[in-house]
Amino acid sequence: MRYQTRMSQPKTSQRRTRQREAIRRALDETGRPMSPTELLEAARAEVPGMGIATVYRNLKAMAEANSVQTVDLPGEPPRYEIARKGHHHHFHCRRCDRVFEVDNCPGNMKKLAPRGFRVDDHDITLYGLCASCRKGA
Amino acid sequence: MRYQTRMSQPKTSQRRTRQREAIRRALDETGRPMSPTELLEAARAEVPGMGIATVYRNLKAMAEANSVQTVDLPGEPPRYEIARKGHHHHFHCRRCDRVFEVDNCPGNMKKLAPRGFRVDDHDITLYGLCASCRKGA
DNA sequence: GTCGTTGCAAAGCGTTTGCAGCCTA
DNA sequence: TAGGCTGCAAACGCTTTGCAACGAC
Protein backbone atom coordinates (compact mmCIF):
# COMPACT_ATOMS: atom_id res chain seq x y z
CA MET A 1 0.00 0.00 0.00
CA ARG A 2 1.15 3.48 -0.86
CA TYR A 3 1.41 6.20 1.66
CA GLN A 4 -0.26 9.41 0.76
CA THR A 5 2.27 11.94 -0.44
CA ARG A 6 2.51 15.13 1.52
CA MET A 7 1.73 17.41 -1.41
CA SER A 8 -0.64 20.31 -0.92
CA GLN A 9 -4.04 18.89 -1.77
CA PRO A 10 -6.78 20.82 -3.51
CA LYS A 11 -9.42 21.87 -1.03
CA THR A 12 -12.13 19.28 -0.47
CA SER A 13 -14.91 21.73 -1.23
CA GLN A 14 -15.89 25.36 -1.36
CA ARG A 15 -18.67 26.39 0.92
CA ARG A 16 -21.24 28.99 0.01
CA THR A 17 -20.98 31.86 2.38
CA ARG A 18 -22.74 35.19 2.33
CA GLN A 19 -19.36 36.90 2.14
CA ARG A 20 -18.20 35.03 -0.92
CA GLU A 21 -21.47 35.54 -2.72
CA ALA A 22 -21.49 39.23 -1.92
CA ILE A 23 -18.02 39.62 -3.41
CA ARG A 24 -18.87 37.74 -6.57
CA ARG A 25 -22.10 39.65 -6.96
CA ALA A 26 -20.34 42.99 -6.64
CA LEU A 27 -17.83 41.95 -9.26
CA ASP A 28 -20.57 40.76 -11.59
CA GLU A 29 -22.78 43.79 -11.22
CA THR A 30 -20.03 46.33 -11.58
CA GLY A 31 -18.55 44.72 -14.66
CA ARG A 32 -15.21 46.48 -14.21
CA PRO A 33 -12.02 45.65 -12.33
CA MET A 34 -12.40 46.61 -8.67
CA SER A 35 -10.00 47.11 -5.80
CA PRO A 36 -10.27 45.08 -2.59
CA THR A 37 -11.48 48.19 -0.75
CA GLU A 38 -14.15 48.93 -3.32
CA LEU A 39 -15.27 45.34 -3.08
CA LEU A 40 -15.40 45.49 0.70
CA GLU A 41 -17.62 48.57 0.57
CA ALA A 42 -19.93 46.99 -1.97
CA ALA A 43 -20.08 43.68 -0.13
CA ARG A 44 -20.79 45.35 3.20
CA ALA A 45 -24.12 46.49 1.83
CA GLU A 46 -25.07 42.82 2.10
CA VAL A 47 -22.83 41.66 4.93
CA PRO A 48 -22.29 44.60 7.28
CA GLY A 49 -19.57 43.28 9.56
CA MET A 50 -17.38 41.92 6.79
CA GLY A 51 -13.62 42.35 7.15
CA ILE A 52 -11.01 43.21 4.56
CA ALA A 53 -9.08 39.98 5.18
CA THR A 54 -12.08 38.06 3.96
CA VAL A 55 -12.02 40.00 0.71
CA TYR A 56 -8.35 39.25 0.16
CA ARG A 57 -8.73 35.59 1.04
CA ASN A 58 -11.68 35.13 -1.27
CA LEU A 59 -10.09 37.00 -4.14
CA LYS A 60 -7.03 34.83 -3.83
CA ALA A 61 -9.10 31.66 -3.77
CA MET A 62 -11.23 32.79 -6.70
CA ALA A 63 -8.14 33.71 -8.68
CA GLU A 64 -6.66 30.27 -8.06
CA ALA A 65 -9.93 28.72 -9.15
CA ASN A 66 -9.85 30.94 -12.25
CA SER A 67 -13.21 32.50 -11.56
CA VAL A 68 -11.66 35.94 -11.19
CA GLN A 69 -8.58 37.46 -12.79
CA THR A 70 -6.06 39.79 -11.22
CA VAL A 71 -5.64 43.05 -13.12
CA ASP A 72 -2.13 44.36 -12.57
CA LEU A 73 -1.74 47.95 -13.67
CA PRO A 74 1.61 49.74 -13.75
CA GLY A 75 2.37 51.57 -10.55
CA GLU A 76 -0.67 50.71 -8.56
CA PRO A 77 -2.22 48.00 -6.42
CA PRO A 78 -4.04 45.21 -8.28
CA ARG A 79 -7.74 45.18 -9.05
CA TYR A 80 -9.91 42.16 -9.76
CA GLU A 81 -12.40 41.29 -12.47
CA ILE A 82 -14.62 38.34 -13.28
CA ALA A 83 -12.74 35.88 -15.47
CA ARG A 84 -12.90 36.63 -19.17
CA LYS A 85 -12.39 34.22 -21.96
CA GLY A 86 -9.60 35.67 -23.99
CA HIS A 87 -6.63 37.91 -24.16
CA HIS A 88 -7.53 41.51 -23.48
CA HIS A 89 -6.16 44.75 -22.10
CA HIS A 90 -7.31 47.69 -20.00
CA PHE A 91 -8.08 51.37 -20.18
CA HIS A 92 -7.48 53.52 -17.12
CA CYS A 93 -9.46 56.76 -16.91
CA ARG A 94 -7.38 59.63 -15.58
CA ARG A 95 -10.39 61.50 -14.30
CA CYS A 96 -12.55 58.93 -12.51
CA ASP A 97 -9.81 56.37 -11.94
CA ARG A 98 -12.02 53.56 -13.17
CA VAL A 99 -10.60 50.77 -15.31
CA PHE A 100 -12.35 49.31 -18.35
CA GLU A 101 -11.77 46.23 -20.40
CA VAL A 102 -10.40 46.65 -23.93
CA ASP A 103 -10.99 43.72 -26.26
CA ASN A 104 -8.81 44.78 -29.13
CA CYS A 105 -5.13 44.08 -29.32
CA PRO A 106 -2.63 45.25 -31.91
CA GLY A 107 -1.01 41.79 -31.73
CA ASN A 108 2.39 40.82 -33.00
CA MET A 109 4.57 42.41 -30.37
CA LYS A 110 7.38 39.95 -31.16
CA LYS A 111 9.23 42.27 -33.45
CA LEU A 112 9.37 45.14 -30.98
CA ALA A 113 11.94 43.46 -28.75
CA PRO A 114 15.69 43.69 -29.33
CA ARG A 115 17.16 41.03 -31.62
CA GLY A 116 17.84 37.81 -29.78
CA PHE A 117 14.97 38.26 -27.34
CA ARG A 118 11.99 35.91 -27.34
CA VAL A 119 8.63 37.53 -26.58
CA ASP A 120 5.86 35.26 -25.35
CA ASP A 121 3.35 37.72 -23.92
CA HIS A 122 2.61 41.39 -23.33
CA ASP A 123 0.52 43.80 -21.31
CA ILE A 124 -0.97 47.02 -22.63
CA THR A 125 -2.58 49.75 -20.58
CA LEU A 126 -4.31 52.70 -22.24
CA TYR A 127 -4.74 56.05 -20.50
CA GLY A 128 -7.12 58.90 -21.16
CA LEU A 129 -10.74 59.84 -20.54
CA CYS A 130 -13.59 57.37 -20.52
CA ALA A 131 -16.76 58.21 -22.38
CA SER A 132 -18.65 59.64 -19.42
CA CYS A 133 -15.76 61.73 -18.15
CA ARG A 134 -15.17 63.05 -21.64
CA LYS A 135 -18.73 64.29 -21.82
CA GLY A 136 -18.89 65.63 -18.32
CA ALA A 137 -15.72 67.67 -18.82
CA MET B 1 4.85 95.57 -2.40
CA ARG B 2 3.63 92.00 -2.75
CA TYR B 3 3.92 89.46 -0.04
CA GLN B 4 5.50 86.21 -1.05
CA THR B 5 2.89 83.54 -1.62
CA ARG B 6 3.13 80.44 0.51
CA MET B 7 3.53 78.01 -2.39
CA SER B 8 6.10 75.24 -2.19
CA GLN B 9 9.23 76.72 -3.66
CA PRO B 10 11.74 74.82 -5.77
CA LYS B 11 14.80 73.90 -3.75
CA THR B 12 17.54 76.53 -3.76
CA SER B 13 20.20 74.12 -4.91
CA GLN B 14 21.27 70.50 -5.07
CA ARG B 15 24.45 69.60 -3.28
CA ARG B 16 26.86 67.05 -4.60
CA THR B 17 27.06 64.22 -2.13
CA ARG B 18 28.87 60.91 -2.39
CA GLN B 19 25.55 59.15 -1.99
CA ARG B 20 23.85 60.94 -4.84
CA GLU B 21 26.78 60.44 -7.15
CA ALA B 22 27.00 56.76 -6.31
CA ILE B 23 23.35 56.28 -7.17
CA ARG B 24 23.63 58.12 -10.46
CA ARG B 25 26.78 56.24 -11.35
CA ALA B 26 25.15 52.86 -10.68
CA LEU B 27 22.21 53.82 -12.86
CA ASP B 28 24.52 54.98 -15.64
CA GLU B 29 26.79 51.99 -15.59
CA THR B 30 24.07 49.39 -15.42
CA GLY B 31 22.05 50.89 -18.24
CA ARG B 32 18.88 49.10 -17.19
CA PRO B 33 16.03 49.94 -14.82
CA MET B 34 17.05 49.08 -11.27
CA SER B 35 15.16 48.60 -8.02
CA PRO B 36 15.93 50.72 -4.95
CA THR B 37 17.49 47.69 -3.26
CA GLU B 38 19.72 46.91 -6.24
CA LEU B 39 20.79 50.54 -6.27
CA LEU B 40 21.55 50.47 -2.57
CA GLU B 41 23.80 47.44 -2.99
CA ALA B 42 25.61 48.98 -5.93
CA ALA B 43 26.01 52.34 -4.20
CA ARG B 44 27.28 50.76 -1.00
CA ALA B 45 30.36 49.64 -2.90
CA GLU B 46 31.28 53.32 -2.86
CA VAL B 47 29.52 54.52 0.28
CA PRO B 48 29.43 51.62 2.75
CA GLY B 49 27.11 52.94 5.42
CA MET B 50 24.46 54.22 3.05
CA GLY B 51 20.82 53.73 4.04
CA ILE B 52 17.83 52.76 1.94
CA ALA B 53 15.96 55.97 2.82
CA THR B 54 18.69 57.92 1.07
CA VAL B 55 18.12 55.91 -2.08
CA TYR B 56 14.40 56.57 -2.02
CA ARG B 57 14.84 60.27 -1.30
CA ASN B 58 17.36 60.71 -4.09
CA LEU B 59 15.35 58.76 -6.61
CA LYS B 60 12.36 60.89 -5.81
CA ALA B 61 14.36 64.08 -6.18
CA MET B 62 15.98 62.93 -9.41
CA ALA B 63 12.62 61.90 -10.81
CA GLU B 64 11.20 65.33 -10.02
CA ALA B 65 14.22 66.90 -11.66
CA ASN B 66 13.66 64.62 -14.65
CA SER B 67 17.12 63.12 -14.51
CA VAL B 68 15.72 59.67 -13.82
CA GLN B 69 12.44 58.08 -14.85
CA THR B 70 10.25 55.77 -12.84
CA VAL B 71 9.57 52.46 -14.58
CA ASP B 72 6.22 51.14 -13.41
CA LEU B 73 5.68 47.54 -14.33
CA PRO B 74 2.37 45.75 -13.80
CA GLY B 75 2.20 43.95 -10.49
CA GLU B 76 5.54 44.85 -9.07
CA PRO B 77 7.42 47.62 -7.29
CA PRO B 78 8.84 50.38 -9.48
CA ARG B 79 12.36 50.45 -10.86
CA TYR B 80 14.32 53.48 -12.00
CA GLU B 81 16.32 54.32 -15.10
CA ILE B 82 18.32 57.29 -16.34
CA ALA B 83 16.07 59.66 -18.22
CA ARG B 84 15.66 58.83 -21.91
CA LYS B 85 14.70 61.18 -24.64
CA GLY B 86 11.65 59.62 -26.14
CA HIS B 87 8.66 57.41 -25.74
CA HIS B 88 9.69 53.80 -25.12
CA HIS B 89 8.57 50.60 -23.45
CA HIS B 90 10.08 47.70 -21.51
CA PHE B 91 10.85 44.03 -21.76
CA HIS B 92 10.79 41.94 -18.60
CA CYS B 93 12.81 38.72 -18.66
CA ARG B 94 11.00 35.88 -16.96
CA ARG B 95 14.22 34.06 -16.16
CA CYS B 96 16.65 36.66 -14.82
CA ASP B 97 14.00 39.23 -13.83
CA ARG B 98 15.97 42.03 -15.49
CA VAL B 99 14.16 44.75 -17.40
CA PHE B 100 15.36 46.17 -20.74
CA GLU B 101 14.39 49.20 -22.71
CA VAL B 102 12.47 48.68 -25.94
CA ASP B 103 12.62 51.55 -28.40
CA ASN B 104 10.00 50.41 -30.84
CA CYS B 105 6.33 51.11 -30.41
CA PRO B 106 3.41 49.87 -32.49
CA GLY B 107 1.85 53.34 -32.10
CA ASN B 108 -1.72 54.28 -32.80
CA MET B 109 -3.40 52.77 -29.77
CA LYS B 110 -6.30 55.21 -30.11
CA LYS B 111 -8.52 52.84 -32.00
CA LEU B 112 -8.23 50.04 -29.46
CA ALA B 113 -10.35 51.80 -26.86
CA PRO B 114 -14.16 51.60 -26.80
CA ARG B 115 -15.99 54.23 -28.82
CA GLY B 116 -16.32 57.50 -27.00
CA PHE B 117 -13.07 57.09 -25.08
CA ARG B 118 -10.15 59.41 -25.65
CA VAL B 119 -6.72 57.77 -25.45
CA ASP B 120 -3.77 60.05 -24.75
CA ASP B 121 -1.06 57.58 -23.75
CA HIS B 122 -0.27 53.92 -23.22
CA ASP B 123 2.16 51.54 -21.53
CA ILE B 124 3.41 48.31 -23.04
CA THR B 125 5.36 45.61 -21.23
CA LEU B 126 6.78 42.65 -23.11
CA TYR B 127 7.53 39.32 -21.41
CA GLY B 128 9.79 36.48 -22.43
CA LEU B 129 13.47 35.58 -22.40
CA CYS B 130 16.26 38.07 -22.93
CA ALA B 131 19.08 37.20 -25.31
CA SER B 132 21.46 35.83 -22.69
CA CYS B 133 18.85 33.77 -20.88
CA ARG B 134 17.67 32.38 -24.19
CA LYS B 135 21.14 31.13 -24.98
CA GLY B 136 21.89 29.87 -21.52
CA ALA B 137 18.73 27.80 -21.41
C1' DG C 1 27.30 79.31 9.66
C1' DT C 2 23.45 77.86 6.82
C1' DC C 3 20.61 74.63 5.42
C1' DG C 4 20.46 70.65 2.22
C1' DT C 5 21.45 65.75 3.27
C1' DT C 6 21.99 61.55 5.77
C1' DG C 7 21.17 57.35 8.87
C1' DC C 8 18.08 55.51 12.00
C1' DA C 9 13.89 54.32 13.65
C1' DA C 10 9.07 54.87 13.56
C1' DA C 11 5.03 55.32 10.84
C1' DG C 12 2.18 54.34 6.58
C1' DC C 13 -0.15 51.49 3.37
C1' DG C 14 -1.65 47.50 1.09
C1' DT C 15 -1.65 42.64 1.89
C1' DT C 16 -1.05 38.28 4.50
C1' DT C 17 -1.39 35.29 8.40
C1' DG C 18 -2.27 33.18 13.24
C1' DC C 19 -5.94 32.19 16.05
C1' DA C 20 -10.25 31.19 18.32
C1' DG C 21 -14.98 31.07 17.38
C1' DC C 22 -18.64 30.49 13.76
C1' DC C 23 -21.37 28.18 10.36
C1' DT C 24 -22.03 25.28 6.15
C1' DA C 25 -22.75 20.74 4.56
C1' DT D 1 -19.74 17.01 14.05
C1' DA D 2 -15.85 18.24 10.90
C1' DG D 3 -13.34 21.46 9.02
C1' DG D 4 -13.84 25.32 5.84
C1' DC D 5 -14.63 30.31 6.79
C1' DT D 6 -14.65 34.64 9.27
C1' DG D 7 -13.27 38.86 12.06
C1' DC D 8 -9.63 40.72 14.60
C1' DA D 9 -5.19 41.96 15.38
C1' DA D 10 -0.48 41.22 14.60
C1' DA D 11 2.97 40.65 11.14
C1' DC D 12 4.92 41.78 6.52
C1' DG D 13 7.32 44.10 2.64
C1' DC D 14 8.01 48.29 0.45
C1' DT D 15 8.12 53.21 0.95
C1' DT D 16 7.85 57.59 3.44
C1' DT D 17 8.74 60.67 7.20
C1' DG D 18 10.45 62.87 11.78
C1' DC D 19 14.54 64.01 13.90
C1' DA D 20 19.09 65.14 15.31
C1' DA D 21 23.70 64.91 13.56
C1' DC D 22 26.48 65.73 9.44
C1' DG D 23 28.73 68.06 5.76
C1' DA D 24 28.71 70.84 1.18
C1' DC D 25 29.31 75.47 -0.12
Side-chain angles (χ1 to χ4, degrees), chain A residues 16-77:
Chain A
R16 304 176 111 255
T17 64
R18 295 178 307 145
Q19 290 85 341
R20 210 192 308 288
E21 310 245 288
I23 292 170
R24 181 149 330 185
R25 186 148 32 229
L27 239 19
D28 268 328
E29 288 172 359
T30 304
R32 283 183 285 98
M34 296 172 78
S35 70
T37 306
E38 272 181 306
L39 277 165
L40 179 62
E41 280 170 29
R44 273 183 170 164
E46 284 180 55
V47 189
M50 194 161 156
I52 188 68
T54 297
V55 175
Y56 281 106
R57 278 190 284 236
N58 276 295
L59 287 174
K60 190 178 181 186
M62 290 159 131
E64 278 165 7
N66 293 312
S67 63
V68 308
Q69 285 180 336
T70 302
V71 178
D72 283 320
L73 301 166
E76 58 176 85

Side-chain angles (χ1 to χ4, degrees), chain A:
Chain A
M1 162 181 194
R2 281 154 131 276
Y3 287 102
Q4 165 128 21
T5 60
R6 236 170 275 113
M7 300 175 58
S8 86
Q9 299 295 328
K11 202 155 292 169
T12 306
S13 66
Q14 284 256 108
R15 293 179 179 170
R16 304 176 111 255
T17 64
R18 295 178 307 145
Q19 290 85 341
R20 210 192 308 288
E21 310 245 288
I23 292 170
R24 181 149 330 185
R25 186 148 32 229
L27 239 19
D28 268 328
E29 288 172 359
T30 304
R32 283 183 285 98
M34 296 172 78
S35 70
T37 306
E38 272 181 306
L39 277 165
L40 179 62
E41 280 170 29
R44 273 183 170 164
E46 284 180 55
V47 189
M50 194 161 156
I52 188 68
T54 297
V55 175
Y56 281 106
R57 278 190 284 236
N58 276 295
L59 287 174
K60 190 178 181 186
M62 290 159 131
E64 278 165 7
N66 293 312
S67 63
V68 308
Q69 285 180 336
T70 302
V71 178
D72 283 320
L73 301 166
E76 58 176 85
R79 307 193 187 194
Y80 299 84
E81 66 182 0
I82 50 186
R84 298 281 169 196
K85 301 273 173 53
H87 175 78
H88 66 281
H89 299 298
H90 295 93
F91 176 99
H92 190 167
C93 180
R94 295 188 191 280
R95 177 105 84 220
C96 65
D97 193 47
R98 292 181 301 177
V99 171
F100 301 84
E101 191 180 329
V102 171
D103 287 317
N104 300 315
C105 172
N108 221 28
M109 299 277 116
K110 322 277 181 189
K111 55 192 172 200
L112 295 186
R115 17 260 136 291
F117 283 43
R118 191 215 314 281
V119 176
D120 62 47
D121 199 9
H122 66 266
D123 274 342
I124 297 180
T125 306
L126 305 180
Y127 301 94
L129 293 184
C130 71
S132 53
C133 284
R134 195 178 177 183
K135 276 190 217 166

Side-chain angles (χ1 to χ4, degrees), chain B residues 39-85:
Chain B
L39 278 165
L40 179 63
E41 279 170 31
R44 273 185 171 163
E46 285 180 55
V47 190
M50 194 162 153
I52 188 68
T54 297
V55 175
Y56 280 106
R57 278 188 283 234
N58 276 296
L59 287 173
K60 190 177 181 188
M62 291 159 131
E64 277 165 8
N66 294 311
S67 62
V68 309
Q69 286 180 337
T70 302
V71 178
D72 284 319
L73 301 166
E76 59 176 84
R79 306 193 187 194
Y80 298 83
E81 66 183 359
I82 51 186
R84 298 281 169 195
K85 301 274 174 51

